[in-house]
Amino acid sequence: FAADVIATPCQLCRQIVEMYQDAVNKKYGPDYQIPVVFHSQLIAVAFGIDAKKYACLDRNTIQSEKLEKMVKKG
């Protein structure tokens, strides 16, 4: 089973996890494309704050469709 999203407060951690998912997929065979977001983005989603203006979900390298749908539902 794969996670729906990985949350971190650290910019470097976010970049490393996103960058190496392809290497993990190549070496071990799965096809993970797990979005990595900041915990502040999750808080923004939880409070129903504008996803593009404040949560900046559209700027993530791997997009999180589930989080974006949650924001749209309000």
Side-chain angles (χ1 to χ4, degrees):
F1 296 96
D4 292 327
V5 68
I6 298 171
T8 180
C10 172
Q11 171 64 25
L12 182 60
C13 298
R14 186 185 72 80
Q15 285 181 299
I16 289 172
V17 172
E18 283 186 333
M19 286 180 3
Y20 288 102
Q21 283 189 56
D22 288 337
V24 169
N25 291 336
K26 186 175 181 179
K27 185 171 183 173
Y28 297 105
D31 187 25
Y32 296 136
Q33 289 297 310
I34 303 170
V36 184
V37 301
F38 293 113
H39 66 281
S40 56
Q41 290 176 298
L42 287 180
I43 292 169
V45 170
F47 284 111
I49 296 173
D50 186 312
K52 285 189 178 182
K53 188 173 182 181
Y54 297 109
C56 301
L57 292 175
D58 59 328
R59 295 184 186 174
N60 292 359
T61 304
I62 301 172
Q63 298 298 307
S64 176
E65 293 175 12
K66 281 191 173 187
L67 285 178
E68 291 173 14
K69 285 179 185 177
M70 292 172 73
V71 171
K72 289 177 185 175
K73 285 183 181 179

